Amino acid sequence: MMKNDLEQRKKTPVFQMVIDHLREQIRSGALPVHAALPSERAIAEQFGISRMTARRALLAVEMEGLAYSSGRRGRFVSPQRVAYDISQTVSLSALLGQDGPGLTIKVVSQQMAAADAVLSAKLAVPEGESLYKYTRLFLLQDHPAFVEEEYAIASLFPGLFDHNLQQSTTVLMEREYNVPPHSGDITIRMRALNEQEAGLLNLPTYNAGIELEQVIYSKDGKPFCFGRQIWRGELAEFTAHAIVRR
């Protein structure tokens, strides 16, 4: 080790050294996806620090998106974040199916619903309009990534539930009903998970998640689908290409 490296290590706080060490173990593959991170006690003994400091270092690694918590079982190496370019597509499942890591979709529930005041405004339909409602869980490398709840106008897609919903529904709607997605209005915010979402994502109830809402429009400018995704924070990475209009 060079003299400058030794001097730099001496100047680096132990707290930061622990984070750097864990980060390097993860990025090098020494700790593969879903491998358990060392416990607070093991880190405290290895680096000669308190368990409180070890806990802070582990939490910092988790906040970077490199690890996830699983209750009392500890922390584990997270799958690589998915870069979802929301300026290029309104269908993440279509994007991942073509170019990204392995994606599994599980249908949690499907039913008919009547449009309430909020959905009436989102989809530009009268209150009481018949809608398809379905909830799905998306897993990346068998790791729960996000829960999606979607509503589609029933009159536009007769027999939708006769099709397999373990695929991109926007691709399905284009292929089977000739209703391709043309544009979307997207809102992203942080909020607490409800009990069902937390259970599906293996997180504590009221844990913070990242919510993405979108209304999808056809080429004639009419909305036909409204969706709401709630993500585990360590897997969410949204990007967009901005065009400045004067």
Side-chain angles (χ1 to χ4, degrees):
M1 186 177 292
M2 301 297 291
K3 181 179 179 182
N4 288 342
D5 292 335
L6 287 170
E7 291 178 352
Q8 183 60 41
R9 283 179 63 86
K10 291 178 181 178
K11 295 178 182 179
T12 303
V14 178
F15 172 75
Q16 187 61 51
M17 288 176 59
V18 175
I19 297 173
D20 293 343
H21 171 74
L22 293 173
R23 186 190 295 125
E24 176 57 28
Q25 290 282 295
I26 293 170
R27 290 179 174 171
S28 69
L31 286 172
V33 172
H34 301 313
L37 268 62
S39 66
E40 296 171 8
R41 176 179 294 179
I43 290 175
E45 292 176 352
Q46 179 180 354
F47 289 89
I49 56 179
S50 70
R51 289 186 62 172
M52 178 64 74
T53 301
R55 184 180 302 121
R56 288 177 54 225
L58 286 166
L59 180 59
V61 171
E62 184 177 344
M63 295 299 290
E64 282 189 30
L66 298 175
Y68 64 92
S69 296
S70 183
R72 295 184 178 180
R73 294 177 57 236
R75 290 182 174 86
F76 301 85
V77 178
S78 175
Q80 183 177 358
R81 278 179 168 169
V82 177
Y84 180 8
D85 187 345
I86 58 177
S87 62
Q88 295 298 317
T89 181
V90 293
S91 175
L92 175 65
S93 52
L95 174 67
L96 294 184
Q98 296 171 1
D99 305 312
L103 178 73
T104 303
I105 304 173
K106 293 185 177 180
V107 179
V108 177
S109 65
Q110 57 185 54
Q111 62 193 79
M112 302 305 297
D116 59 15
V118 173
L119 292 170
S120 170
K122 296 282 189 185
L123 293 170
V125 296
E127 289 190 41
E129 179 84 8
S130 184
L131 306 174
Y132 293 110
K133 176 185 177 182
Y134 42 95
T135 301
R136 302 184 294 173
L137 174 65
F138 289 69
L139 302 99
L140 297 173
Q141 301 178 28
D142 297 322
H143 182 55
F146 65 91
V147 178
E148 179 183 68
E149 183 178 80
E150 279 192 338
Y151 297 85
I153 300 174
S155 60
L156 297 178
F157 309 105
L160 180 66
F161 284 166
D162 294 334
H163 298 279
N164 179 12
L165 298 183
Q166 293 177 293
Q167 60 178 306
S168 166
T169 49
T170 53
V171 171
L172 170 64
M173 291 168 179
E174 179 175 7
R175 183 183 67 241
E176 300 293 334
Y177 299 95
N178 195 30
V179 182
H182 181 266
S183 61
D185 288 335
I186 295 175
T187 302
I188 299 173
R189 63 175 70 88
M190 182 174 285
R191 71 162 172 83
L193 304 175
N194 62 37
E195 187 173 355
Q196 182 193 33
E197 294 163 345
L200 291 170
L201 294 174
N202 295 332
L203 289 169
T205 304
Y206 304 121
N207 196 86
I210 298 177
E211 182 180 67
L212 181 150
E213 283 190 352
Q214 64 178 356
V215 179
I216 304 175
Y217 299 88
S218 58
K219 61 183 179 180
D220 59 2
K222 295 181 179 179
F224 63 86
C225 185
F226 168 70
R228 181 184 295 112
Q229 300 171 355
I230 183 74
W231 285 71
R232 290 186 65 118
E234 80 274 6
L235 288 178
E237 180 176 313
F238 304 118
T239 61
H241 175 67
I243 299 175
V244 178
R245 294 187 173 90
R246 300 186 183 280

